[in-house]
Amino acid sequence: MLIGFMGSGKTTISQLLGKILAKPVVDLDQAIVKQTGSEITKIFNRHGEQYFRQLEHDSLKRIITESGILATGGGTPLRADNAEILETSGAKVILLEASGETILERLKTDCSRPLAKQMAKQQLLALKQARQSHYQQCADLTIQTDKLTPKEVVAKILASLETVV
């Protein structure tokens, strides 16, 4: 299970892990889009963040029992009930961590993130900092993704998991 701030690489890394481990992959945001038939940005614009976070929680409760690899949304661990679900799932929770500069670089051309579109750079970095303790509380393992290719990140995850098993 992958957690981390937007732009940390959760979707990309989960897809690579799924291929290597021959396991199904669920991206929580994509599951919400599929369920509602509406893009995340449209959900935020029409109904607000609270509505989206409830959809996210309901989807997490439903998906958590499926086997495979789960890439959560950047805000998923913020709710206490979601954090509890993640922590008690029995799956390893891997935090993908990236520096503020890396996040800003990865997000600069991404228009699909409603919170990032609304914020100035300093606000986005402050949001990342505010979420950090929530991520760390849930994580069994932290992987720093700065200056690593997706394949290198996956190799670090696999090596770390082998030493844990």
Side-chain angles (χ1 to χ4, degrees):
M1 186 171 332
L2 302 175
I3 64 171
F5 195 68
M6 61 183 101
S8 63
K10 299 178 301 290
T11 298
T12 300
I13 301 307
S14 67
Q15 295 298 322
L16 278 173
L17 276 172
K19 285 180 186 174
I20 290 169
L21 298 173
K23 293 196 177 256
V25 176
V26 176
D27 183 289
L28 193 56
D29 285 346
Q30 291 173 5
I32 292 167
V33 168
K34 184 176 179 181
Q35 174 193 340
T36 63
S38 187
E39 295 297 320
I40 302 297
T41 304
K42 288 182 181 177
I43 295 170
F44 264 75
N45 290 340
R46 287 185 186 143
H47 305 286
E49 184 176 0
Q50 289 297 96
Y51 179 84
F52 172 77
R53 295 296 174 204
Q54 187 60 49
L55 284 174
E56 183 178 58
H57 173 73
D58 295 342
S59 295
L60 178 63
K61 282 193 328 187
R62 187 180 70 255
I63 291 168
I64 199 73
T65 60
E66 297 175 14
S67 66
I69 298 164
L70 173 64
T72 65
T76 304
L78 302 180
R79 279 181 54 159
D81 50 358
N82 287 349
E84 184 178 344
I85 291 169
L86 295 172
E87 292 168 15
T88 61
S89 70
K92 291 291 179 209
V93 179
I94 301 165
L95 168 59
L96 298 182
E97 179 60 43
S99 69
E101 292 100 25
T102 298
I103 295 292
L104 291 172
E105 181 64 28
R106 290 176 182 170
L107 295 179
K108 72 180 179 183
T109 58
D110 188 342
C111 298
S112 67
R113 300 174 192 270
L115 288 178
K117 284 175 35 177
Q118 301 169 14
M119 296 181 176
K121 290 178 182 179
Q122 291 305 329
Q123 290 174 303
L124 194 62
L125 295 176
L127 179 64
K128 180 184 182 304
Q129 184 62 37
R131 291 181 173 186
Q132 198 62 35
S133 65
H134 295 279
Y135 297 145
Q136 291 170 341
Q137 181 181 358
C138 292
D140 296 310
L141 171 68
T142 300
I143 302 289
Q144 191 70 34
T145 65
D146 293 298
K147 299 181 182 176
L148 295 178
T149 67
K151 287 183 180 179
E152 290 170 328
V153 172
V154 168
K156 280 188 148 219
I157 290 171
L158 294 173
S160 295
L161 291 177
E162 285 177 10
T163 61
V164 172
V165 176

